């Protein structure tokens, strides 16, 4: 009588409690995530600057100084136009300002165009405009598509 009492407490027929994890839903989730990441376009090229669009943008001048703010935070500066030179990358804003001062001394009448990615920080663009104005550059613009 003692054995029937103890088996009755456990649930009758001696069933064991299953403590296994069901792996199938996790595999399904991982496959869906894998497909999503494979289908997503790889548009993370840091050398491409995705400029914002504007309805009525004026045509850029023929000769100008171009400053490019890249999505990864890199800065580059160069002259566009008849005296075009290859854009130089600057490690930080101070180096870029020094290069801008050198270019401005060589070409004081050239305007400055800042090409910032859509994801660029607003503060970075404002700081560059402020530095250009301090140097006496009166024509500072923003590049758009």
């Amino acid at each position: 009588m003692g054995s029937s009492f103890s088996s009755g407490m456990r649930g009758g027929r001696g069933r064991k409690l299953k403590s296994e994890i069901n792996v199938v839903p996790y595999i399904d989730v991982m496959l869906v995530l894998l497909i999503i990441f494979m289908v997503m376009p790889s548009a993370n090229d840091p050398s491409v600057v995705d400029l914002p669009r504007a309805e009525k943008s004026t045509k850029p001048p023929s000769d100008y100084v171009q400053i490019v703010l890249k999505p990864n935070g890199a800065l580059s500066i160069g002259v566009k136009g008849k005296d075009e030179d290859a854009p130089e990358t600057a490690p930080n804003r101070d180096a870029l300002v020094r290069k801008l001062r050198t270019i401005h001394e060589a070409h004081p009448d050239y305007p400055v165009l800042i090409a910032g990615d859509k994801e660029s920080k607003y503060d970075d663009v404002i700081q560059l405009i402020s530095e250009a104005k301090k140097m006496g550059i009166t024509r500072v613009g923003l590049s758009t598509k």
Side-chain angles (χ1 to χ4, degrees), residues 24-74:
V24 177
Y26 298 109
I27 294 174
D28 291 343
V29 168
M30 292 304 290
L31 285 174
V32 168
L33 288 174
L34 179 68
I35 291 169
I36 288 172
F37 286 120
M38 286 174 58
V39 172
M40 282 177 57
S42 60
N44 296 335
D45 187 8
S47 64
V48 176
V49 175
D50 189 15
L51 292 172
R53 298 193 178 274
E55 289 299 320
K56 293 182 179 178
S57 59
T58 59
K59 194 174 175 185
S62 58
D63 301 315
Y64 60 94
V65 179
Q66 184 179 37
I67 298 173
V68 179
L69 294 162
K70 296 191 177 164
N72 61 357

Side-chain angles (χ1 to χ4, degrees), residues 1 30 35 47 57 60 86-88 98 102 112 118 122 126 141:
M1 186 163 164
M30 292 304 290
I35 291 169
S47 64
S57 59
E88 295 180 28
R98 284 194 299 273
T102 306
V112 173
K118 285 187 210 176
Y122 185 67
I126 294 300

Side-chain angles (χ1 to χ4, degrees), residues 78-143:
V79 176
K80 298 281 187 181
K82 64 177 185 267
D83 296 331
E84 186 165 340
D85 63 351
E88 295 180 28
T89 57
N92 55 27
R93 193 172 20 194
D94 293 333
L96 183 109
V97 169
R98 284 194 299 273
K99 178 68 179 164
L100 178 60
R101 186 170 286 120
T102 306
I103 292 174
H104 180 61
E105 287 169 2
H107 309 285
D109 56 335
Y110 281 13
V112 173
L113 276 181
I114 300 172
D117 192 84
K118 285 187 210 176
E119 307 300 321
S120 295
K121 289 183 182 175
Y122 185 67
D123 182 53
D124 292 341
V125 176
I126 294 300
Q127 292 296 329
L128 286 173
I129 292 172
S130 174
E131 292 290 339
K133 295 280 187 184
K134 283 181 195 172
M135 284 181 214
I137 302 170
T138 55
R139 295 169 59 203
V140 180
L142 300 174
S143 292

